[in-house]
Amino acid sequence: MDNARIADTFDHIADLLEFTGANPFRVRAYRNGARTIRDLSEPAAAILADENRSLTDIDGIGKDLADKIAALVAGEKLPLLEELTAQVPESVLALMRIPGVGPKKAAALYKELGVKTLDELRAACEAGKVRGLKGFGAKTEQAILAGLSVAEQSTVRMLWADADIEAQRVLAHLRGAQGVKQLEMAGSYRRGRDTVGDLDVLAVADDPEALMDRFATIADLETVIGRGDTKMSVRLSTGVQIDLRVVPPQSFGAALVYFTGSKDHNIVLRSLAKKEGLKINEYGVFRGEKYVAGRTEKEVYDTLGLPVFPPELREARREFDWAAAGALPVLVEERDIQGDLHMHTHATDGRASIEDMVAAAKKRGLKYIAITDHSKRVSMANGLDAKRALAQWKQIDRLNAEADDGFLVLKGIECDILERGGMDLPDDVLAQADWVVASVHYGQNQPRAQITERILGALEDPHVHAIAHPTGRLLNRRMAYEVDLEAVYAAARKHHKLLELNANPKRLDLDDTACAAAKERGIPIVINTDAHSTEGLGVMRYGILQARRAGLTQHDVANARPWAKLKKLLHK
Ligand code: DGT
Ligand code: CA
Ligand code: CA
Ligand code: ZN
């Protein structure tokens, strides 16, 4: 069992324990264990296999957890998990995963109202029964209803980052078949959508049967949903569905265009083709019955006098206008990024030291970073008060003074925007930072006007430089809070502030359409990783994908320039 699955198992145990009303310390031990294992930089199995090392050497892993990890790695079942599973009805598990519910509230709903299923939960909310429970209230009831809608969608769409792991595995596996000439992932995965419904693979192969036989041997296969002469669909045990299509070489480009989509992009293509007296489908471009093109995407787009659109732009948003004007943007790339301006260290809820983060950032080719630990309001993460922030910045001053390679560490902070409005740290402290990102972490259920006011207040604050994860969404888990983004754009523009595209694959916030709107209004976007470990710096690419979908160029991305130039974007 790999680290991610071990961590999921521990999280699951914690949920079940919490549901059954177990000791909170025991619950927390499993949650912390899950986090530790998830962030481990090597497989737990490797540590177990090394007789000179022990899992208990890792902070937060005691004997009990270590034994359970060993059992899981050995493929054994955990008696504790079996026991808990027997106590908790299956359908109740789905209740706990509703954004805004969680194990404790699920237990109350189950015990007090007898709610066992999502349908019963919706009915109870709609009947106004939930608001009467201790610790719930009308607002919670509203939040649960909203969460139910998120949950209904989230059962089918995976995060792009998770889809990527499966996509790479599928491609690697299929490449092992004899006579594969071309292989490409299409669909929403190729377009870089923040979430992906299913994977669509296209292939050219000498022997389609051999390729499909190979497909049937992929690890974690649950069922073959269907198989024909040139098409096969499977479902993996993770629930991921994959469609494979084998096409003749002269159709590969046409099929790639067709199955990359989006559907709306294809509709525009077909109507443009019609105007030229052409017909375009997944087999090729035709004039009457005569095949004219289809071997490559370029051949297909050439027949319509169009450029080969980067897949990220194929959403029938602006791409055809841009092409008509000969002004297709040159999209930002990860190698354009010079700095990363949002990350945490072990001073708060990160796992690495400043020095570790600097070394990892240099390895990634960055020229500067900002250390932005949490401010004190985030007590759960041991947020910094004024004294600790100032001490950390002194340490950064020393690091910069010792540096001989021009790498710059900025004195930063992720300062909370308080529930009542205003910043979590005093002006004279913030004034000493090089870089301040402001965030809403608490009071996310406040009314739209109130949350908007808080964010506008931060944008007006002369010490704040950017708003982090401006809508607070967590994909598949929590919807964006209510906020008037038009007002936020207007204030950001007026006060020369930046808006973040948080690259964490669970956030991707601002999303692609909001980034495009910000660009139109002249607001630079800063793409940050919000890393909580050295590995966390690797999520930059997910942010880049969304920036590309927004049509952002190198110029539109603030941190695709040296710090000295970025500073000029900011009004001091
Ligand atoms: P997903 O899987 O929901 O994240 O989104 P897609 O875009 O991957 O959609 P999917 O898997 O249903 O189909 C893949 C592509 O195939 C889609 O982007 C465009 C093309 N396609 C599928 N069905 C149709 C259709 O009825 N008409 C047209 N024009 N294209 C289609
Ligand atoms: Ca798809
Ligand atoms: Ca599909
Ligand atoms: Zn952060």
Side-chain angles (χ1 to χ4, degrees):
M1 195 182 264
D2 65 16
N3 291 356
R5 299 266 172 102
I6 295 169
D8 288 347
T9 306
F10 284 175
D11 270 331
H12 187 52
I13 291 175
D15 284 347
L16 293 171
L17 283 171
E18 204 173 348
F19 182 86
T20 56
N23 181 331
F25 290 104
R26 198 158 167 229
V27 174
R28 198 171 314 151
Y30 280 99
R31 289 225 195 282
N32 290 342
R35 212 170 76 116
T36 304
I37 293 297
R38 194 169 280 124
D39 288 346
L40 225 51
S41 53
E42 60 182 323
I47 300 174
L48 280 166
D50 183 344
E51 53 189 54
N52 296 317
R53 297 163 66 198
S54 162
L55 285 170
T56 53
D57 297 340
I58 304 168
D59 258 358
I61 303 289
K63 167 114 177 51
D64 180 57
L65 286 186
D67 287 348
K68 290 204 166 63
I69 295 168
L72 289 171
V73 167
E76 292 162 22
K77 298 206 154 135
L78 301 181
L80 170 68
L81 182 55
E82 308 244 290
E83 199 181 297
L84 286 166
T85 307
Q87 280 178 48
V88 182
E90 170 100 31
S91 60
V92 170
L93 297 177
L95 288 187
M96 299 185 200
R97 303 211 177 91
I98 302 294
V101 180
K104 253 199 221 128
K105 289 207 165 78
L109 291 161
Y110 178 60
K111 285 191 198 122
E112 308 289 328
L113 298 176
V115 166
K116 290 183 300 300
T117 65
L118 299 185
D119 287 342
E120 287 170 11
L121 178 57
R122 183 178 285 281
C125 285
E126 281 166 358
K129 286 184 189 160
V130 171
R131 67 183 69 178
L133 291 180
K134 191 163 168 269
F136 279 69
K139 252 192 203 162
T140 313
E141 194 174 79
Q142 261 338 98
I144 292 176
L145 275 172
L148 276 166
S149 329
V150 176
E152 277 156 14
Q153 296 161 17
S154 71
T155 48
V156 285
R157 302 193 65 84
M158 55 197 143
L159 301 183
W160 190 90
D162 294 337
D164 184 43
I165 293 170
E166 292 295 18
Q168 296 313 320
R169 193 169 71 86
V170 167
L171 290 175
H173 180 75
L174 291 177
R175 262 182 222 115
Q178 289 278 314
V180 180
K181 292 286 186 324
Q182 305 236 46
L183 198 62
E184 196 91 49
M185 217 28 102
S188 56
Y189 169 78
R190 184 164 180 242
R191 302 197 311 279
R193 261 193 78 172
D194 50 13
T195 60
V196 172
D198 69 0
L199 292 173
D200 305 277
V201 197
L202 285 183
V204 173
D206 292 338
D207 183 354
E209 291 299 326
L211 181 61
M212 290 193 276
D213 288 345
R214 172 85 186 168
F215 196 25
T217 64
I218 188 157
D220 275 345
L221 178 88
E222 190 179 83
T223 29
V224 175
I225 301 166
R227 177 168 172 171
D229 293 341
T230 58
K231 182 175 178 301
M232 179 166 159
S233 293
V234 307
R235 187 164 44 244
L236 305 181
S237 57
T238 46
V240 181
Q241 188 179 317
I242 308 161
D243 298 334
L244 166 68
R245 292 177 184 85
V246 191
V247 300
Q250 71 274 14
S251 296
F252 186 72
L256 193 52
V257 169
Y258 183 90
F259 290 108
T260 296
S262 65
K263 208 166 157 178
D264 292 335
H265 179 89
N266 290 349
I267 290 169
V268 178
L269 285 182
R270 276 200 300 271
S271 76
L272 290 175
K274 210 167 164 192
K275 280 187 202 143
E276 303 292 323
L278 296 167
K279 194 179 79 194
I280 178 169
N281 58 30
E282 62 266 53
Y283 304 105
V285 183
F286 300 85
R287 190 175 296 282
E289 296 297 304
K290 190 172 171 282
Y291 168 94
V292 265
R295 198 167 281 275
T296 63
E297 288 200 316
K298 183 164 183 333
E299 262 189 37
V300 173
Y301 281 114
D302 273 350
T303 61
L304 302 174
L306 291 169
V308 179
F309 295 100
E312 296 93 328
L313 289 181
R314 302 184 195 175
E315 296 288 349
R317 288 176 183 161
R318 302 284 307 281
E319 73 270 25
F320 291 104
D321 297 339
W322 286 329
L328 204 61
V330 179
L331 302 180
V332 64
E333 296 182 38
E334 186 172 1
R335 61 160 184 254
D336 297 333
I337 297 295
Q338 305 206 19
D340 187 343
L341 295 176
H342 184 167
M343 67 188 67
H344 300 263
T345 72
H346 59 195
T348 61
D349 58 350
R351 305 190 65 80
S353 64
I354 300 175
E355 289 87 346
D356 292 342
M357 295 307 277
V358 168
K362 281 186 197 170
K363 243 192 221 158
R364 294 191 161 273
L366 297 179
K367 302 285 190 287
Y368 58 96
I369 59 171
I371 299 295
T372 56
D373 270 312
H374 287 291
S375 62
K376 64 185 191 301
R377 176 65 186 87
V378 191
S379 49
M380 254 174 39
N382 191 24
L384 305 181
D385 58 14
K387 198 169 149 214
R388 288 175 65 217
L390 291 170
Q392 189 188 58
W393 296 342
K394 248 196 198 136
Q395 189 191 346
I396 292 175
D397 278 336
R398 276 199 301 275
L399 275 177
N400 282 326
E402 288 161 12
D404 50 11
D405 55 2
F407 190 90
L408 182 64
V409 188
L410 298 166
K411 295 175 282 185
I413 186 101
E414 179 177 15
C415 189
D416 256 57
I417 304 173
L418 299 173
E419 287 101 308
R420 58 164 195 277
M423 304 304 293
D424 188 22
L425 288 173
D427 282 351
D428 62 322
V429 175
L430 293 182
Q432 297 178 59
D434 300 312
W435 171 256
V436 177
V437 287
S439 305
V440 168
H441 288 119
Y442 294 91
Q444 298 200 8
N445 292 328
Q446 289 172 355
R448 178 180 165 100
Q450 193 175 359
I451 294 192
T452 305
E453 263 323 295
R454 287 166 68 195
I455 295 177
L456 297 188
L459 286 165
E460 283 158 18
D461 188 310
H463 303 300
V464 170
H465 300 106
I467 304 293
H469 40 74
T471 76
R473 76 164 177 173
L474 287 177
L475 285 163
N476 290 347
R477 294 192 62 88
R478 191 172 71 205
M479 280 189 303
Y481 42 67
E482 298 279 341
V483 56
D484 178 355
L485 279 179
E486 278 307 332
V488 170
Y489 300 143
R493 175 156 171 90
K494 177 168 170 210
H495 300 290
H496 302 274
K497 301 298 165 72
L498 312 183
L499 295 176
E500 180 180 77
L501 192 185
N502 190 294
N504 183 313
K506 295 178 183 149
R507 289 191 180 272
L508 300 173
D509 177 14
L510 295 173
D511 71 10
D512 53 358
T513 52
C515 283
K519 168 181 170 153
E520 263 176 39
R521 289 154 184 77
I523 301 154
I525 296 292
V526 54
I527 310 178
N528 293 324
T529 62
D530 199 356
H532 285 67
S533 63
T534 52
E535 292 84 27
L537 295 171
V539 303
M540 183 60 80
R541 66 194 192 100
Y542 308 123
I544 295 289
L545 259 186
Q546 297 312 305
R548 291 170 62 84
R549 287 175 57 80
L552 302 195
T553 64
Q554 179 176 15
H555 178 77
D556 301 321
V557 176
N559 51 326
R561 43 169 80 54
W563 171 246
K565 290 227 169 98
L566 195 162
K567 247 168 102 171
K568 292 190 185 137
L569 295 174
L570 306 165
H571 186 66
K572 270 280 169 189

